[in-house]
Short mmCIF file of all heavy atoms in Angstrom, two decimals:
data_model
loop_
_atom_site.label_atom_id
_atom_site.label_comp_id
_atom_site.label_asym_id
_atom_site.label_seq_id
_atom_site.Cartn_x
_atom_site.Cartn_y
_atom_site.Cartn_z
N LEU X 28 74.07 61.29 102.24
CA LEU X 28 74.30 59.86 102.54
C LEU X 28 73.16 59.01 102.02
O LEU X 28 73.37 57.86 101.60
CB LEU X 28 74.47 59.66 104.04
CG LEU X 28 75.71 60.31 104.67
CD1 LEU X 28 75.70 60.18 106.19
CD2 LEU X 28 76.99 59.69 104.08
N GLY X 29 71.93 59.56 102.06
CA GLY X 29 70.77 58.77 101.58
C GLY X 29 70.84 58.50 100.10
O GLY X 29 70.33 57.46 99.64
N ARG X 30 71.47 59.38 99.37
CA ARG X 30 71.60 59.18 97.92
C ARG X 30 72.46 57.94 97.62
O ARG X 30 72.25 57.26 96.61
CB ARG X 30 72.23 60.42 97.27
CG ARG X 30 72.28 60.37 95.76
CD ARG X 30 72.90 61.64 95.22
NE ARG X 30 72.08 62.80 95.57
CZ ARG X 30 71.05 63.23 94.84
NH1 ARG X 30 70.68 62.56 93.77
NH2 ARG X 30 70.39 64.29 95.22
N HIS X 31 73.41 57.65 98.51
CA HIS X 31 74.33 56.54 98.27
C HIS X 31 74.00 55.29 99.10
O HIS X 31 74.24 54.17 98.65
CB HIS X 31 75.77 56.99 98.58
CG HIS X 31 76.25 58.14 97.76
ND1 HIS X 31 76.60 57.99 96.44
CD2 HIS X 31 76.41 59.44 98.07
CE1 HIS X 31 76.99 59.16 95.96
NE2 HIS X 31 76.88 60.07 96.92
N PHE X 32 73.46 55.48 100.30
CA PHE X 32 73.23 54.35 101.22
C PHE X 32 71.77 54.15 101.60
O PHE X 32 71.47 53.45 102.55
CB PHE X 32 74.09 54.53 102.48
CG PHE X 32 75.55 54.69 102.19
CD1 PHE X 32 76.17 55.92 102.31
CD2 PHE X 32 76.31 53.60 101.79
CE1 PHE X 32 77.53 56.09 102.04
CE2 PHE X 32 77.67 53.74 101.52
CZ PHE X 32 78.28 54.97 101.65
N ARG X 33 70.87 54.81 100.88
CA ARG X 33 69.42 54.63 101.08
C ARG X 33 68.99 54.91 102.51
O ARG X 33 69.40 55.91 103.07
CB ARG X 33 68.99 53.21 100.63
CG ARG X 33 69.56 52.74 99.28
CD ARG X 33 69.20 53.64 98.13
NE ARG X 33 67.74 53.63 97.88
CZ ARG X 33 67.17 54.39 96.95
NH1 ARG X 33 67.89 55.23 96.23
NH2 ARG X 33 65.86 54.31 96.75
N THR X 34 68.17 54.03 103.09
CA THR X 34 67.63 54.30 104.41
C THR X 34 68.70 54.41 105.48
O THR X 34 68.59 55.24 106.40
CB THR X 34 66.61 53.19 104.81
OG1 THR X 34 67.25 51.91 104.68
CG2 THR X 34 65.39 53.21 103.95
N GLU X 35 69.73 53.57 105.38
CA GLU X 35 70.81 53.66 106.37
C GLU X 35 71.47 55.04 106.32
O GLU X 35 71.80 55.62 107.36
CB GLU X 35 71.85 52.58 106.13
CG GLU X 35 71.39 51.17 106.42
CD GLU X 35 70.74 50.48 105.23
OE1 GLU X 35 70.33 51.22 104.26
OE2 GLU X 35 70.65 49.26 105.24
N GLY X 36 71.68 55.56 105.11
CA GLY X 36 72.28 56.86 104.96
C GLY X 36 71.43 57.98 105.57
O GLY X 36 71.94 58.89 106.21
N TRP X 37 70.11 57.90 105.32
CA TRP X 37 69.22 58.90 105.89
C TRP X 37 69.25 58.87 107.43
O TRP X 37 69.31 59.90 108.07
CB TRP X 37 67.78 58.68 105.40
CG TRP X 37 67.47 59.43 104.17
CD1 TRP X 37 67.66 59.03 102.86
CD2 TRP X 37 66.98 60.77 104.08
NE1 TRP X 37 67.28 60.02 101.99
CE2 TRP X 37 66.86 61.09 102.70
CE3 TRP X 37 66.63 61.72 105.04
CZ2 TRP X 37 66.39 62.35 102.28
CZ3 TRP X 37 66.17 62.97 104.61
CH2 TRP X 37 66.05 63.28 103.25
N LEU X 38 69.24 57.68 108.00
CA LEU X 38 69.24 57.56 109.44
C LEU X 38 70.58 58.06 110.04
O LEU X 38 70.59 58.78 111.03
CB LEU X 38 69.01 56.13 109.87
CG LEU X 38 68.97 55.85 111.38
CD1 LEU X 38 67.87 56.67 112.02
CD2 LEU X 38 68.77 54.37 111.65
N ILE X 39 71.69 57.70 109.39
CA ILE X 39 73.00 58.15 109.86
C ILE X 39 73.09 59.67 109.80
O ILE X 39 73.53 60.33 110.77
CB ILE X 39 74.12 57.51 109.01
CG1 ILE X 39 74.19 56.00 109.27
CG2 ILE X 39 75.48 58.16 109.37
CD1 ILE X 39 75.13 55.28 108.31
N GLY X 40 72.66 60.24 108.69
CA GLY X 40 72.73 61.70 108.53
C GLY X 40 71.89 62.44 109.54
O GLY X 40 72.33 63.41 110.15
N TYR X 41 70.64 61.97 109.73
CA TYR X 41 69.77 62.67 110.65
C TYR X 41 70.25 62.51 112.10
O TYR X 41 70.19 63.45 112.89
CB TYR X 41 68.34 62.14 110.53
CG TYR X 41 67.35 62.98 111.29
CD1 TYR X 41 66.92 64.22 110.80
CD2 TYR X 41 66.86 62.57 112.54
CE1 TYR X 41 66.02 65.00 111.49
CE2 TYR X 41 65.97 63.36 113.24
CZ TYR X 41 65.56 64.58 112.73
OH TYR X 41 64.70 65.36 113.43
N THR X 42 70.76 61.32 112.42
CA THR X 42 71.33 61.09 113.76
C THR X 42 72.50 62.02 114.00
O THR X 42 72.68 62.56 115.10
CB THR X 42 71.77 59.64 113.91
OG1 THR X 42 70.66 58.77 113.73
CG2 THR X 42 72.37 59.40 115.30
N LEU X 43 73.34 62.23 112.99
CA LEU X 43 74.46 63.16 113.09
C LEU X 43 73.98 64.56 113.45
O LEU X 43 74.56 65.23 114.30
CB LEU X 43 75.26 63.18 111.78
CG LEU X 43 76.41 64.18 111.70
CD1 LEU X 43 77.47 63.85 112.72
CD2 LEU X 43 77.02 64.18 110.29
N GLY X 44 72.92 65.00 112.77
CA GLY X 44 72.37 66.32 113.07
C GLY X 44 71.89 66.46 114.49
O GLY X 44 72.13 67.47 115.16
N GLN X 45 71.17 65.44 115.00
CA GLN X 45 70.69 65.47 116.39
C GLN X 45 71.85 65.42 117.38
O GLN X 45 71.81 66.04 118.45
CB GLN X 45 69.75 64.29 116.64
CG GLN X 45 68.51 64.30 115.75
CD GLN X 45 67.76 65.62 115.75
OE1 GLN X 45 67.32 66.09 116.79
NE2 GLN X 45 67.66 66.24 114.59
N ALA X 46 72.93 64.69 117.01
CA ALA X 46 74.11 64.63 117.87
C ALA X 46 74.77 66.01 117.95
O ALA X 46 75.29 66.40 119.02
CB ALA X 46 75.09 63.59 117.34
N VAL X 47 74.76 66.75 116.86
CA VAL X 47 75.30 68.12 116.85
C VAL X 47 74.50 69.00 117.82
O VAL X 47 75.07 69.77 118.61
CB VAL X 47 75.27 68.71 115.44
CG1 VAL X 47 75.58 70.21 115.47
CG2 VAL X 47 76.28 67.99 114.55
N ILE X 48 73.17 68.88 117.77
CA ILE X 48 72.31 69.64 118.68
C ILE X 48 72.64 69.28 120.13
O ILE X 48 72.79 70.16 120.98
CB ILE X 48 70.82 69.35 118.39
CG1 ILE X 48 70.46 69.80 117.00
CG2 ILE X 48 69.94 70.05 119.45
CD1 ILE X 48 69.04 69.42 116.59
N LEU X 49 72.77 67.98 120.40
CA LEU X 49 73.07 67.51 121.76
C LEU X 49 74.42 68.07 122.24
O LEU X 49 74.53 68.51 123.38
CB LEU X 49 73.08 65.98 121.79
CG LEU X 49 73.40 65.33 123.14
CD1 LEU X 49 72.38 65.73 124.20
CD2 LEU X 49 73.45 63.81 122.99
N PHE X 50 75.41 68.04 121.37
CA PHE X 50 76.74 68.54 121.75
C PHE X 50 76.68 70.05 122.07
O PHE X 50 77.24 70.48 123.08
CB PHE X 50 77.74 68.29 120.60
CG PHE X 50 79.09 68.86 120.85
CD1 PHE X 50 80.02 68.20 121.64
CD2 PHE X 50 79.46 70.09 120.31
CE1 PHE X 50 81.28 68.73 121.89
CE2 PHE X 50 80.72 70.63 120.55
CZ PHE X 50 81.62 69.94 121.33
N ILE X 51 76.00 70.81 121.23
CA ILE X 51 75.92 72.26 121.44
C ILE X 51 75.19 72.58 122.76
O ILE X 51 75.65 73.40 123.55
CB ILE X 51 75.20 72.95 120.27
CG1 ILE X 51 76.00 72.81 118.97
CG2 ILE X 51 74.92 74.42 120.58
CD1 ILE X 51 75.28 73.33 117.73
N LEU X 52 74.06 71.91 122.99
CA LEU X 52 73.28 72.17 124.19
C LEU X 52 73.99 71.70 125.45
O LEU X 52 73.88 72.33 126.50
CB LEU X 52 71.89 71.55 124.09
CG LEU X 52 70.99 72.09 122.97
CD1 LEU X 52 69.61 71.47 123.05
CD2 LEU X 52 70.90 73.62 123.06
N THR X 53 74.71 70.57 125.35
CA THR X 53 75.50 70.11 126.49
C THR X 53 76.58 71.13 126.86
O THR X 53 76.79 71.42 128.04
CB THR X 53 76.17 68.75 126.16
OG1 THR X 53 75.14 67.78 125.91
CG2 THR X 53 77.04 68.27 127.33
N TYR X 54 77.22 71.67 125.84
CA TYR X 54 78.22 72.71 126.10
C TYR X 54 77.58 73.92 126.77
O TYR X 54 78.16 74.50 127.71
CB TYR X 54 78.85 73.13 124.77
CG TYR X 54 79.74 74.36 124.88
CD1 TYR X 54 81.03 74.27 125.40
CD2 TYR X 54 79.26 75.60 124.45
CE1 TYR X 54 81.84 75.38 125.51
CE2 TYR X 54 80.07 76.73 124.57
CZ TYR X 54 81.34 76.62 125.10
OH TYR X 54 82.13 77.73 125.23
N GLU X 55 76.38 74.33 126.32
CA GLU X 55 75.70 75.47 126.92
C GLU X 55 75.35 75.22 128.39
O GLU X 55 75.48 76.10 129.23
CB GLU X 55 74.45 75.81 126.11
CG GLU X 55 74.70 76.34 124.72
CD GLU X 55 75.42 77.68 124.72
OE1 GLU X 55 75.26 78.46 125.69
OE2 GLU X 55 76.15 77.98 123.75
N VAL X 56 74.88 74.00 128.68
CA VAL X 56 74.52 73.67 130.05
C VAL X 56 75.74 73.74 130.96
O VAL X 56 75.73 74.34 132.05
CB VAL X 56 73.88 72.26 130.13
CG1 VAL X 56 73.78 71.81 131.59
CG2 VAL X 56 72.50 72.29 129.50
#
């Protein structure tokens, strides 16, 4: 996403990754 949308793309992509972590750990809890 950063290649196409610059800083916004990087932030969106990294936030998506952290959201995946949150979803997995919430399921585990």
